[in-house]
Every structure is written in C-alpha cells, then in structure tokens.
Amino acid sequence: MTSMNKTQLLNELKKEVEECRRCSLYKTRTKVVFGIGPADANLMIISEAPGYWEDRRGEPFVGAAGKVLDELLESVDIKREDVYICNLLKCRPPGNRDPKPEEIKACTPYLVRQIEIIAPKIICPLGRYSMRFLMEKFGLKDEIQPISKIHGKVFEVKDLFQSIKIIPFYHPATATYNPNMKEILKKDFQILKQIYGEDFSFWR
Ligand code: URA
C-alpha cells in the first residue's frame, strides 16, 4: 500500500468515526479524537482515551499529559510529527473515568483498522487498558501482567506480512502527579530509542 492510499483510507475511516454512535460517549463528546500522524509511520503510540483538552480540540495529547509525552519523545530524539498517536477510545469518557468494557468493545474495531492501514513496526501502548487490548489482539494474552511489571519490556509478534514490536509503557499522565514516574518513563523510552534506531528494512 502506498502512503497516498494509506492517507486516503485513514481519511475515510476518520469520517466514519466522526459519525459514530456505537456507544453512549457520542452524547457527551465535543469532538471525536481520531488520531494524528503520518499514515505510514513506523511507530504508533496508543493511549487510553481523550481528556478535556483533547475533546475540545479533536487532537490527542494536547493537555498536561501531552506535555509529558512531548518531553519523553524529545529526550530520545524522536519527532512527534513522525509518530502516529491515537487512543483506544476515540471519545472522552465523562470526567476522565476509566473506559468501560462495552466502550472498548464498540470502539476498538476502529483502532484495529488504523493499525492495519498504518502497519507500524513498533507499537507502544500507554497504560494498562491499551496494553491489555493490544497484547490480547496480538496473541500475547498469556504474557499479560500488571503494567508495573511489564512496562519497558519488548514483545515481538509476527503478523502475516511483518514482525511488530510491542513495548508497553506507563501512561504519561502518571508523571503529572508522581515525579518519580517521569524518570521511569524516560528510562523506558531509552529502550524505544534503541529499537526505533534499528534498520527497519531487515524486519520484513
Ligand atoms: N491521555 C490519553 O490517554 N490520551 C490523550 O489523548 C490525552 C491524554
């Protein structure tokens, strides 16, 4: 698939998601937060759900957690504009409560299509909800552990056409209320840096 085709497919999917009423979150959302970044990104960062500012702006990670994410990416010389960033849920849960199972079930077919179109080499789930969903999706159910045990570990899965590395991280919002967390996240991002720096042409 060329990057033009991928962009077109993502744009079509975005239009579909903007009309979505599969769960009750459409009633309280201001904007759908579909995702942002290059359609042929090597790295996808998949977080949990939009917060207040994301819901207002229709873009992921534009609030306080976004500042932490920017700092983490900068610390490893990865440009934010080279990364595709999105969430498990495309609409904000009121009051930033945790996603409900029925919301995850309703919304994640969109995420799966995003992953299929982009076909990234590396996926970083941020936080326990996206970690759990992605590990289940990629056949790593038996390896699931609490995020406190699993953060920074690299899992390699073979999909039909390529191998994908999955590296779960803590959610960056944890660093906004626990300063020690930023140091842990920074260390984990060093692992991502190493892998991101590898030559992807050998991976197929
Ligand atoms: N937290 C998330 O999980 N996603 C965002 O887009 C912003 C904050």
Side-chain angles (χ1 to χ4, degrees):
M1 222 189 297
T2 64
S3 81
M4 262 276 274
N5 288 341
K6 287 181 177 218
T7 305
Q8 204 176 338
L9 288 171
L10 278 183
N11 285 340
E12 280 163 18
L13 181 59
K14 184 176 182 204
K15 278 194 201 130
E16 191 183 324
V17 180
E18 281 168 351
E19 304 292 314
C20 181
R21 293 180 167 211
R22 285 186 190 173
C23 78
S24 60
L25 293 181
Y26 82 89
K27 294 180 193 159
T28 47
R29 75 181 172 220
T30 312
K31 287 187 174 166
V32 163
V33 181
F34 178 70
I36 196 162
D40 58 352
N42 284 325
L43 169 61
M44 258 182 109
I45 289 182
I46 302 174
S47 193
E48 189 173 302
Y52 177 85
W53 289 108
E54 290 76 23
D55 171 71
R56 303 234 123 198
R57 295 259 305 268
E59 253 189 55
F61 281 106
V62 290
K67 285 214 174 78
V68 177
L69 180 62
D70 286 349
E71 195 183 326
L72 291 166
L73 288 169
E74 213 172 286
S75 74
V76 292
D77 294 322
I78 297 177
K79 292 199 189 90
R80 180 171 165 137
E81 59 268 28
D82 290 340
V83 183
Y84 193 91
I85 303 173
C86 64
N87 288 301
L88 200 59
L89 298 190
K90 308 305 188 210
C91 298
R92 181 188 182 217
N96 297 348
R97 62 157 169 75
D98 288 344
K100 292 182 180 170
E102 63 269 28
E103 292 161 354
I104 295 175
K105 193 162 177 231
C107 200
T108 45
Y110 297 131
L111 174 63
V112 169
R113 279 161 71 191
Q114 284 172 302
I115 296 170
E116 283 167 359
I117 295 167
I118 297 165
K121 311 286 191 297
I122 307 169
I123 299 179
C124 295
L126 305 183
R128 62 199 163 109
Y129 287 96
S130 44
M131 176 270 286
R132 175 168 285 278
F133 175 77
L134 288 158
M135 290 190 66
E136 282 180 4
K137 172 181 161 40
F138 285 104
L140 296 167
K141 194 170 181 187
D142 293 345
E143 316 246 15
I144 295 175
Q145 292 179 66
I147 192 80
S148 56
K149 291 254 163 60
I150 217 172
H151 69 94
K153 287 198 177 147
V154 182
F155 297 89
E156 184 162 2
V157 290
K158 304 264 182 232
D159 143 344
L160 209 52
F161 302 109
Q162 66 169 356
S163 81
I164 304 178
K165 290 191 180 167
I166 299 179
I167 319 170
F169 293 137
Y170 277 114
H171 192 290
T174 53
T176 63
Y177 47 80
N178 178 351
N180 297 333
M181 219 32 112
K182 194 180 286 171
E183 290 318 304
I184 298 175
L185 274 159
K186 277 194 171 160
K187 261 197 193 154
D188 286 350
F189 266 67
Q190 287 296 326
I191 297 161
L192 168 63
K193 181 183 182 166
Q194 263 177 20
I195 290 169
Y196 190 76
E198 287 175 9
D199 183 349
F200 295 119
S201 59
F202 290 113
W203 283 31
R204 296 215 176 240

